[in-house]
Amino acid sequence: MTTDALMTFSEEALERIIEIRDQEPGEEEYGLLIEITGVQGLQFGYSLSFVPLDEAEPSDHIERHGELAVVIPASDTGNMTGARLAMSSNPMTPGLAIDNPNNPSPDIPDFDAGDLTGPIAERVQTVLDHQVNPAIASHGGQARLVGEENGVVYLQMGGGCQGCGMAAQTLRQGIERILREAIPEIVEIVDITDHQSGENPYYAASHAHSH
């Protein structure tokens, strides 16, 4: 099944890939299989290989770029949307390079709330210190408690997460889940990253950025 394209290719890269593909044996049509193999630092790692199109899985995303069929596993489509494959401009790493706007989100492990006691703000700080920040530190990030009022917690992402498109996603997918499970009394979690103003930024930001 051929569907709309998730990726783009530079003309030079496309010509190079087709040139390599045409060296494959046999008469059957080969597609370029692009898989995410894991995480390398702050980027995804990739595997590029040629596979006979008739061996592609029914769930695979297949898109065509001129003479080239590209196969992307269903599990990777979300993280490959908007990616561009071109020839590397870095002389130290010649060859093909993938420029991907999507970055892996830090894996924040589950937290055992244990005997968390005290006001909500104190318990939030404990979870941030012992569970959240060690997990996102490898990404150069940090989550900071700005304030808490009537069960509404105001957080700010800093470090490598500041201004990063993954900051909001990291908060939603990981930190918010951890905090809500550990501290059920939390009413709302507001991310005020990059929205500082006045003496009480979290009060002003909460009106425009609450969710």
Side-chain angles (χ1 to χ4, degrees), residues 63-137:
E63 60 186 49
R64 288 194 174 273
H65 296 266
E67 298 177 29
L68 180 68
V70 177
V71 182
I72 302 173
S75 58
D76 294 336
T77 55
N79 287 321
M80 291 302 298
T81 300
R84 177 174 174 78
L85 199 154
M87 302 303 294
S88 173
S89 59
N90 186 344
M92 301 297 292
T93 55
L96 297 167
I98 294 179
D99 181 13
N100 193 342
N102 307 294
N103 294 306
S105 182
D107 181 19
I108 302 176
D110 290 334
F111 179 64
D112 180 5
D115 297 322
L116 281 178
T117 58
I120 290 178
E122 289 183 17
R123 286 181 282 166
V124 168
Q125 192 64 58
T126 297
V127 176
L128 293 180
D129 289 345
H130 294 280
Q131 198 69 17
V132 172
N133 283 330
I136 64 176

Side-chain angles (χ1 to χ4, degrees), residues 27-46:
E27 297 298 320
E28 58 191 332
E29 183 179 3
Y30 282 81
L32 176 66
L33 174 64
I34 302 179
E35 299 177 280
I36 294 177
T37 56
V39 176
Q40 299 175 351
L42 300 183
Q43 304 292 330
F44 289 117
Y46 305 94

